[in-house]
């Protein structure tokens, strides 16, 4: 039975038993700050189990994509060594929300496995929580065995929770006996033996409690059932193979790797097989994360994606062959799974380009890190030799010891190693030499010279965290240069980082739960803001500093909960409304509104009087600000559609901000838009505005809306029903799931101008635009500039281009002096910033050079004067942007590469670049892209290595 059949049969089985088939949600948990990723099939139903969300159905079934790489469920380090673990997997699940409970759940699971899947009952062994007598009795009846034969296990195995907090309860697992005897010694080993005889297939979780941060268990309003069975493992059992990687879910990916490397899974060494599993698993995780809109970055979900991608790249290159892996593998994953997950097909181009860019970047970073290890080893050997010399000349120990420290400083500085790394390395000598090493005795110096230089755990962690180099590679390079690595210390440092991450996430959970506690007992707010901008209301709650209070006095910052409100709560990219709430003897200036599980919290300042819980109030939205926001929100929908018309369907929304004064729209795209593309995008939006097309809102079942073609954001939380905003009647221009406020017709948008575009991350670009009065003010400012120039040149405004062109032509006829318009090099050096802590300069500037030779000569002069620097100069030559990148030798030695930098800048300008490690050039098509490229250069050279 192939994996597609397993998916289909599972859903069909439960659909026939009254379950609603629910499509897989995104890997990004919508509206849940306590999780980075969906790590279990029940996550999309979490609020249903908690009683905070209602569905039209009480039974559901799904095949949910999951990722376990963070928090309590983190399998990342298991991938490779383990033939069974995956970071990305598909969870088969059936759920009951206050409907059936233990008896039906266990009977369903047994029937499906033994009848529909044909597994022999004698090889299936249930386990229950040690205190769960009810489940033990049910299993004894189903299997027709004495109750004592049902295996009871403790909380570690048979009490399930999604994380440190949230829904939880006892569970009952179904374990498959693969071999009938212990894989190690042939004995009849217990079910807890880790010999790979026993495979957990299905886990039936009985949701009974909600666990708070302090461990307190509170009974849920309704008992529920959450089951999960990994598609990968069940498929392996049905296909009778030894590991999940030998199923049809992975064999096509492994075949692709074999084509790239010549290494097959069957004939691979243990080390190679580990790399093969990592590549196959991580390619799947990478493809789905990119398809869900995640891009590699240095924080949050983007950081997790970067870790996954770089781990795959490293293992592929270090244990197989040096080639590009991610691009062909994510393309293969998309081809294999797009029939089940169409978003992979929609993101096909993004999968390839994102993988290619990250692979190129990591290879450069890996080179820098390796160079840093080598430089550190050289510094260590020089330091030891100087200690030996100082010890042999006691009369000159002051000079020799001082020279030792100075020499170490010199090596660290020349190799551009961070000061933090130097301090970490020298710590191992401080206990021997003391705080003043120049006063050390010969014995102390000899002792220091005898110390075997070691990259301790903190240093090994520094290399992994800063350069992305795994500790085993750090150890290999270090040992080749006479250093050893304290891997145990590295693990301790890694554990400390994980703990900090858990604490940070825990703090977010604590704040989230504190707000929930403060709002406990308050009903959801009735929102009237679609129909009106003012209404009478009653004060249900007053909060200050996150704590519920009964009353508040003048000039205090407070948060207010009303029974109903016209104020829109921040969400879906739209800023919360501002305005005023007043009553008998009090007035509040409302600065913003947010929603917590449907309870609207109005934040502001009590400008006069006192307010008491239970007061009557009048809530009034600032009409001008709301209408400006509505114009920007409707324009955002028009812009989204226009971009997809101009750039293609992959230009999907990646985030937005809709405020009264502007709109900001992030979308997936790998290069800057040309002037023609920007103008065409503006033209399409303006066309829709001038047509004054109706903007309709309808409330539909969310899945029906998506099936009809409405766009949806992965990280937005939609209920079972969702508002659909459509532009146009009949011939609909755009259709999106959106809870925001909008114009009644596109004509209300008025004017529309794109005012900026730039990159905000790998494969993500940002456009800012203005509408209405703000657009007219923006245009008035530019018209004033045109009028001023027209007066200065004494020509009508429409003749300005010809006049300026004539001046440029006249200038071209003048004898060229390459440096005549270039600034004084001393000025650029004076305003240059420092590149790190080692004295090197970062010079990034736009200059007026007559030609490419003049630009290179000027850059060479700057490089010579600076001594240690990275120089990036840009100019416009014959209406084309041009950039030169120059590095001093020490910067090249430190791992910087001018050719790599130039290539990135060329991409930013819509063209390309290249050259040597010390000098390279980049060009573009549009002069307007030069400033963005120079900003990109500064970003590349000042960002922490990762």
């Amino acid at each position: 039975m192939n994996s597609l059949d397993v998916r289909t049969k599972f859903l069909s089985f439960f659909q026939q038993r009254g379950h609603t088939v629910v499509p897989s949600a995104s890997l990004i948990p919508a509206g849940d700050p306590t999780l980075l990723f969906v790590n279990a099939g029940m996550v999309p139903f979490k609020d249903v189990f908690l009683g905070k969300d209602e569905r039209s159905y009480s039974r559901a079934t799904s095949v949910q994509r999951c990722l376990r790489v963070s928090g309590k469920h983190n399998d990342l380090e298991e991938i490779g060594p383990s033939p069974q673990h995956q970071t990305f997997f598909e969870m088969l699940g059936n759920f009951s929300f206050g409907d059936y409970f233990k008896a039906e759940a266990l009977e369903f699971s047994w029937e499906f496995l033994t009848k529909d899947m044909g597994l022999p009952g004698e090889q299936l062994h249930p386990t229950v929580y040690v205190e769960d007598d009810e489940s033990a009795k049910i299993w004894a009846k189903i299997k027709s065995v004495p109750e004592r034969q049902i295996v009871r296990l403790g909380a570690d195995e048979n009490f399930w929770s999604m994380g440190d907090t949230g829904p939880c309860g006892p569970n009952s697992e179904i374990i498959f006996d693969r071999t009938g005897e212990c894989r190690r010694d042939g004995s009849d080993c217990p079910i807890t033996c880790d010999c790979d005889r026993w495979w957990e297939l299905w886990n039936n979780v009985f949701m009974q409690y909600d666990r708070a941060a302090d461990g307190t268990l509170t009974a849920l309003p309704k008992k529920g059932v959450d089951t999960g069975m990994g598609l990968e493992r069940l498929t392996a059992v049905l296909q009778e193979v030894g590991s999940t990687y030998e199923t049809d879910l992975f064999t096509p990916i492994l075949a692709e790797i074999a084509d790239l490397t010549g290494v097959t899974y069957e004939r691979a060494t243990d080390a190679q097989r580990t790399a093969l599993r990592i590549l196959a698993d991580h390619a799947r995780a990478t493809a789905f994360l990119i398809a869900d809109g995640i891009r590699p970055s240095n924080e949050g979900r983007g950081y997790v994606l970067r870790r996954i991608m770089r781990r795959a790249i490293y293992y592929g290159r270090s244990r197989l062959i040096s080639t590009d892996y991610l691009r062909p593998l994510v393309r293969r994953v998309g081809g294999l799974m797009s029939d089940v997950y169409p978003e992979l097909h929609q993101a096909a181009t993004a999968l390839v380009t994102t993988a290619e860019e990250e692979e190129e970047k990591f290879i450069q970073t890996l080179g820098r890190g390796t160079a840093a290890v080598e430089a550190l080893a050289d510094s260590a050997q020089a330091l030891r030799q100087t200690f030996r010399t100082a010890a042999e000349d006691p009369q000159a120990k002051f000079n020799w010891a001082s020279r030792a420290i100075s020499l170490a400083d010199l090596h660290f500085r020349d190799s551009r190693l961070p000061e933090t790394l130097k301090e970490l390395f020298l710590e191992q000598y401080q206990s021997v030499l003391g705080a003043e090493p120049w006063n050390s005795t010969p014995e102390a110096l000899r002792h220091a010279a005898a110390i075997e230089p070691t990259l301790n755990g903190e240093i090994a962690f520094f290399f992994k965290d800063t350069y992305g180099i795994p500790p085993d590679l750090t150890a290999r390079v270090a040992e080749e240069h006479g250093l050893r690595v304290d891997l145990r210390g590295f693990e301790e440092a890694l554990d400390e980082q994980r703990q900090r991450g858990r604490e940070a996430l825990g703090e977010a959970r604590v704040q989230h739960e504190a707000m929930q506690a403060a709002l406990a007992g308050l009903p959801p707010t009735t929102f009237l803001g679609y129909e009106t901008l003012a209404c009478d209301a009653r004060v249900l709650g007053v909060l200050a500093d996150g704590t519920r209070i009964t009353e508040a006095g003048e000039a205090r910052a407070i948060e207010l909960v009303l029974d109903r409100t016209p104020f829109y709560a921040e969400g879906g990219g739209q800023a919360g409304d501002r305005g005023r709430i007043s009553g008998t003897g009090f007035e509040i200036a409302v600065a913003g509104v947010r929603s917590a599980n449907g309870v609207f919290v109005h934040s502001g300042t009590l400008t006069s009087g006192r307010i008491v819980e239970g007061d009557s109030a009048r809530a009034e939205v600032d009409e001008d600000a709301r209408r400006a926001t509505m114009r920007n929100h409707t324009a955002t929908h028009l812009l989204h559609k226009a971009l997809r018309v101009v750039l293609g369907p992959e230009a999907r929304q990646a985030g937005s901000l809709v405020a009264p004064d502007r709109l900001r729209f992030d979308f997936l795209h790998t290069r800057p838009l040309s002037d023609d593309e920007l103008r065409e995008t503006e033209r399409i939006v303006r066309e829709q505005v001038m047509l004054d097309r109706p903007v309709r809102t309808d409330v539909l079942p969310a899945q029906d809306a998506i099936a009809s073609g409405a766009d949806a954001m992965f990280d937005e939380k939609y209920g079972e029903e969702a508002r659909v905003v459509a532009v146009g009647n009949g011939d609909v221009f755009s259709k999106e799931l959106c809870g925001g406020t909008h114009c009644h017709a596109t004509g209300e948008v008025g004017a529309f101008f794109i005012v900026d575009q730039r990159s905000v991350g790998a494969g993500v670009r940002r456009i800012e635009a203005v509408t209405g009065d703000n657009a007219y003010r923006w245009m008035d400012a530019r018209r004033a500039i045109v009028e001023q120039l027209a007066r200065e040149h004494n020509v009508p405004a429409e003749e300005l281009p010809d006049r300026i062109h004539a001046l440029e032509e006249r200038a071209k006829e003048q004898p060229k002096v390459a440096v005549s318009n270039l600034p004084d090099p001393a000025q650029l050096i004076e305003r240059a910033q420092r590149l790190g802590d080692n004295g090197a300069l970062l010079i990034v500037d736009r200059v007026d050079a007559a030609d490419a030779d003049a630009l290179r000569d000027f850059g060479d002069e700057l490089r010579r004067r600076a001594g240690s620097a990275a120089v990036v100069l840009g100019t416009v030559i014959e209406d084309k942007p041009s950039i030169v990148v120059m590095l001093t030798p020490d910067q090249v030695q430190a791992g910087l590469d001018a050719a790599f930098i130039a290539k990135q800048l060329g991409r930013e300008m819509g063209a390309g670049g290249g050259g040597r490690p010390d000098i390279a050039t980049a060009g573009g098509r549009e002069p307007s892209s030069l400033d963005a490229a120079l900003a990109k250069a500064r970003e590349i050279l000042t960002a922490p290595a990762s």
Side-chain angles (χ1 to χ4, degrees):
M1 190 181 298
N2 64 43
S3 56
L4 182 60
D5 288 339
V6 178
R7 286 192 195 93
T8 303
K9 288 179 178 291
F10 181 84
L11 294 176
S12 176
F13 176 89
F14 282 100
Q15 187 176 36
Q16 293 170 10
R17 287 154 181 81
H19 293 67
T20 297
V21 176
V22 180
S24 171
S26 161
L27 287 173
I28 306 170
D32 189 343
T34 67
L35 289 174
L36 276 180
F37 300 103
V38 169
N39 58 17
M42 59 76 60
V43 171
F45 304 110
K46 178 180 174 181
D47 283 348
V48 183
F49 283 115
L50 289 172
K52 298 175 181 178
D53 188 13
E54 293 288 337
R55 300 290 173 95
S56 61
Y57 47 82
S58 59
R59 300 182 177 198
T61 185
S62 68
V63 181
Q64 173 63 45
R65 54 188 186 266
C66 301
L67 194 71
R68 291 189 174 178
V69 290
S70 60
K72 175 185 175 182
H73 300 290
N74 185 352
D75 290 341
L76 183 61
E77 298 304 325
E78 297 285 343
I79 309 306
S82 168
Q84 309 305 338
H85 283 79
Q86 281 84 45
T87 56
F88 172 86
F89 62 97
E90 297 174 82
M91 184 72 85
L92 311 171
N94 59 286
F95 310 91
S96 165
F97 313 118
D99 189 336
Y100 61 84
F101 201 44
K102 294 181 180 180
E104 295 90 337
L106 299 181
E107 288 167 1
F108 285 152
S109 59
W110 186 258
E111 181 182 358
F112 178 76
L113 288 177
T114 58
K115 293 184 179 179
D116 289 59
M117 296 293 100
L119 295 179
E122 60 271 17
Q123 288 181 256
L124 299 174
H125 300 266
T127 70
V128 300
Y129 181 48
V130 65
E131 299 175 8
D132 189 358
D133 296 335
E134 182 182 1
S135 292
K137 286 183 171 63
I138 295 169
W139 274 123
K141 181 179 179 181
I142 290 174
K143 280 187 64 81
S144 300
V145 298
E147 187 180 330
R148 64 178 180 276
Q149 291 185 15
I150 306 301
V151 178
R152 295 176 182 249
L153 299 173
D156 288 345
E157 290 82 11
N158 279 112
F159 195 95
W160 192 92
S161 61
M162 185 184 63
D164 295 331
T165 63
C168 59
N171 63 270
S172 175
E173 297 176 339
I174 300 177
I175 311 295
F176 181 71
D177 185 356
R178 297 179 58 226
T179 60
E181 61 182 18
C182 184
R183 298 292 299 274
R184 294 195 184 96
D185 57 19
S187 65
D188 186 16
C189 58
I191 209 167
T192 53
C193 182
D194 61 357
C195 68
D196 202 35
R197 168 187 176 182
W198 307 97
W199 278 10
E200 174 199 336
L201 278 191
W202 204 330
N203 191 9
N204 288 270
V205 179
F206 307 118
M207 291 294 190
Q208 295 177 246
Y209 308 106
D210 179 19
R211 175 179 283 157
D214 62 1
T216 302
L217 297 178
T218 304
L220 292 172
K222 295 179 180 178
K223 292 180 180 179
V225 171
D226 155 33
T227 84
M229 177 165 51
L231 171 67
E232 292 76 8
R233 189 167 293 184
L234 177 59
T235 303
V237 168
L238 294 172
Q239 295 180 359
E240 299 181 349
V241 292
S243 82
T244 53
Y245 291 93
E246 297 171 64
T247 67
D248 66 328
L249 290 160
F250 287 95
T251 50
I253 307 172
L254 293 169
E256 183 81 17
I257 302 172
D259 289 342
L260 292 170
T261 65
V263 179
T264 64
Y265 190 79
E266 295 76 13
R267 298 184 179 181
T269 65
D270 288 345
Q272 289 173 331
R273 193 170 287 121
T274 293
L276 292 172
R277 288 194 284 254
I278 288 172
L279 281 167
D281 170 86
H282 289 9
R284 298 206 317 163
T286 295
F288 276 89
L289 285 171
I290 293 173
D292 276 356
I294 305 299
R295 294 296 180 270
S297 68
N298 289 331
E299 59 183 20
R301 297 183 178 104
Y303 175 68
V304 174
L305 172 58
R306 173 163 283 169
R307 281 187 66 197
I308 290 171
M309 297 174 79
R310 292 188 169 189
R311 189 169 186 262
I313 296 165
Y314 163 69
Y315 273 94
R317 286 178 167 263
S318 64
R319 298 193 178 183
L320 298 172
I321 65 171
S322 181
T323 189
D324 292 344
Y325 288 97
L326 285 184
R327 180 177 54 184
L329 292 185
V330 296
R331 182 191 289 124
R332 187 73 175 111
V333 172
L336 285 170
M337 305 186 73
S338 58
D339 287 344
V340 179
Y341 299 100
E343 52 267 44
L344 289 172
H345 175 72
Q346 296 167 5
T349 300
L351 298 184
V352 173
T353 55
T354 304
E356 182 179 25
E357 289 176 4
E358 185 64 20
E359 196 146 23
E360 287 180 1
K361 186 172 183 179
F362 180 52
I363 292 167
Q364 293 289 332
T365 300
L366 198 60
R368 292 175 61 195
T370 303
V373 174
E374 294 172 351
L376 193 62
D378 290 343
S379 296
Q381 296 305 328
L383 189 64
R384 295 181 77 192
Q385 181 57 46
T386 312
F387 283 146
R388 292 191 192 99
T389 306
E392 293 167 1
D393 188 357
Q395 300 303 318
K397 67 178 182 180
F398 177 87
N399 294 331
W400 279 112
S402 297
R403 183 182 171 195
I405 301 302
S406 298
L407 188 59
D409 285 342
L410 181 64
H411 274 283
F412 275 102
R413 184 165 60 253
D414 287 348
S415 58
R416 196 172 170 259
L417 292 173
E419 187 70 20
T420 301
L421 186 57
K422 168 189 161 184
E423 292 173 358
L424 287 171
F425 187 73
L426 292 180
E427 280 178 2
Q428 57 195 301
Y429 297 101
Q430 288 178 351
S431 61
V432 176
L433 300 178
E436 298 179 336
W438 48 86
N439 288 328
S440 301
T441 64
E443 289 76 17
L445 289 168
R446 281 193 290 271
H447 190 178
I451 294 175
E452 184 179 4
T454 302
L455 298 191
N456 61 32
E458 289 181 275
I459 296 175
F461 178 76
F462 181 93
F463 276 99
K464 178 174 172 55
D465 199 46
T466 304
Y467 297 107
I469 302 180
D472 52 347
L473 177 58
T474 301
R476 186 195 313 167
V477 176
E479 288 166 359
E480 289 173 355
H481 292 77
L483 296 174
R484 67 183 185 87
V485 177
D486 177 11
L487 292 178
R488 177 178 294 180
F490 165 79
E491 290 298 332
E492 293 172 355
L494 186 60
D495 285 342
E496 290 177 6
Q497 187 211 41
R498 288 170 177 159
Q499 181 60 32
R500 288 192 295 270
R502 285 191 292 268
E503 289 172 356
L505 190 58
E507 183 177 346
R509 286 174 176 156
V510 168
Q511 293 175 351
H512 179 70
E513 291 182 355
M515 176 58 70
Q516 297 296 322
L519 300 176
L522 295 177
T525 307
T526 301
F527 176 59
L528 305 175
Y530 294 129
E531 299 83 22
T532 182
L533 297 180
C535 72
D536 294 323
R538 182 168 298 281
V539 177
L540 299 184
V542 182
L543 290 80
D545 301 322
T547 303
R548 186 93 166 263
I549 58 177
T550 56
E551 61 180 294
E554 188 174 338
R556 185 163 188 182
I558 62 171
E559 296 177 313
L560 210 63
V561 176
L562 305 176
D563 62 342
R564 56 184 189 162
T565 183
F567 284 85
Y568 182 83
E570 177 183 346
Q574 180 173 327
D577 281 328
R578 54 182 187 243
R580 64 194 289 266
I581 298 174
S582 59
T584 304
F586 70 84
E587 183 167 319
I588 299 165
V590 178
V593 187
R594 68 187 191 280
S595 173
N597 290 321
V599 178
F600 284 32
V601 181
H602 307 70
S603 302
T605 303
L606 188 60
T607 57
S608 64
R610 296 187 67 79
I611 187 169
V612 179
E613 188 175 299
D615 280 350
S616 297
R618 179 74 176 171
E620 299 170 284
V621 173
D622 182 326
E623 183 172 356
D624 290 341
R626 165 67 85 82
R627 295 201 182 280
T629 301
M630 291 163 62
R631 286 193 288 270
N632 283 333
H633 206 154
T634 299
T636 298
H637 284 216
L638 299 178
L639 173 61
H640 187 193
K641 179 63 176 182
L643 285 168
R644 300 184 78 173
V645 170
V646 173
L647 304 177
E650 292 184 353
R652 294 187 294 115
Q653 181 174 350
S656 67
L657 170 66
V658 179
D661 59 333
R662 72 192 191 284
L663 68 89
R664 188 181 73 202
F665 186 76
D666 296 345
F667 59 101
L668 304 180
H669 198 56
T670 57
R671 59 171 176 81
L673 275 68
S674 67
D675 286 347
D676 287 344
E677 289 170 332
L678 285 171
R679 298 292 79 80
E680 178 63 10
T681 301
E682 277 189 335
R683 186 199 67 76
I684 292 172
V685 173
R686 290 173 183 165
E687 180 181 60
Q688 295 300 314
V689 172
M690 288 187 293
L691 289 171
D692 195 26
R693 305 189 72 182
V695 179
R696 298 182 294 104
T697 57
D698 298 296
V699 179
L700 299 173
Q703 297 305 325
D704 290 352
I706 294 173
S708 74
D711 291 320
M713 281 289 289
F714 286 128
D715 58 352
E716 281 297 314
K717 185 174 183 178
Y718 303 104
E720 195 175 351
E721 292 189 330
R723 287 174 58 85
V724 179
V725 177
V727 174
N729 280 322
D731 182 18
V732 174
F733 176 72
S734 77
K735 184 191 291 186
E736 297 189 26
L737 271 64
C738 179
T741 59
H742 286 270
C743 302
H744 295 96
T746 57
E748 296 175 26
V749 172
F752 173 86
F753 294 105
I754 293 174
V755 300
D756 185 36
Q757 71 145 329
R758 60 184 182 275
S759 170
V760 291
V764 181
R765 297 203 66 81
R766 172 171 293 171
I767 280 181
E768 292 195 8
V770 288
T771 65
D773 292 340
N774 291 310
Y776 291 124
R777 281 191 286 270
W778 182 84
M779 181 52 68
D780 285 345
R782 276 139 190 83
R783 183 170 61 183
I785 295 172
V786 173
E787 291 173 349
Q788 179 183 347
L789 289 172
R791 287 192 299 271
E792 290 177 355
H793 289 281
N794 196 27
V795 295
E798 58 270 19
E799 296 180 14
L800 263 178
D802 292 338
R803 176 66 172 167
I804 293 172
H805 179 70
L807 290 173
E808 290 175 344
E809 291 299 313
R810 187 183 306 168
K812 290 178 183 178
E813 295 172 1
Q814 302 299 318
K816 290 185 178 180
V817 180
V819 296
S820 60
N821 295 320
L822 291 169
D824 183 350
Q827 294 177 352
L828 270 64
I829 291 174
E830 183 178 353
R831 65 174 182 247
Q833 69 182 92
R834 295 291 176 184
L835 191 62
D837 300 326
N838 52 21
L841 297 180
L842 173 60
I843 303 173
V844 180
D845 239 306
R846 178 171 181 156
V847 297
D848 186 9
D851 53 35
D853 289 338
L855 186 66
R856 282 194 295 270
D857 290 344
F858 187 62
D860 209 27
E861 176 66 12
L862 282 171
R863 182 169 57 166
R864 185 188 66 78
R865 291 197 188 193
S868 175
V871 179
V872 183
L873 300 176
T875 191
V876 176
I877 302 172
E878 298 180 355
D879 295 327
K880 300 292 184 183
S882 181
I883 284 178
V884 64
V885 182
M886 290 184 166
L887 303 174
T888 51
D890 62 311
Q891 298 305 304
V892 176
Q893 182 185 3
L896 293 181
D897 187 331
F900 173 74
I901 296 170
K903 183 178 181 181
Q904 305 307 308
L905 304 187
R907 282 182 177 174
E908 188 71 21
M909 295 187 293
R916 304 196 312 261
D918 62 330
I919 179 171
T921 59
R925 298 186 178 89
E926 300 293 334
S928 59
S929 65
L930 178 59
D931 290 336
L934 291 174
K936 183 72 172 179
R938 192 177 297 278
E939 176 188 332
I940 292 172
L941 289 164
T942 58
S946 58

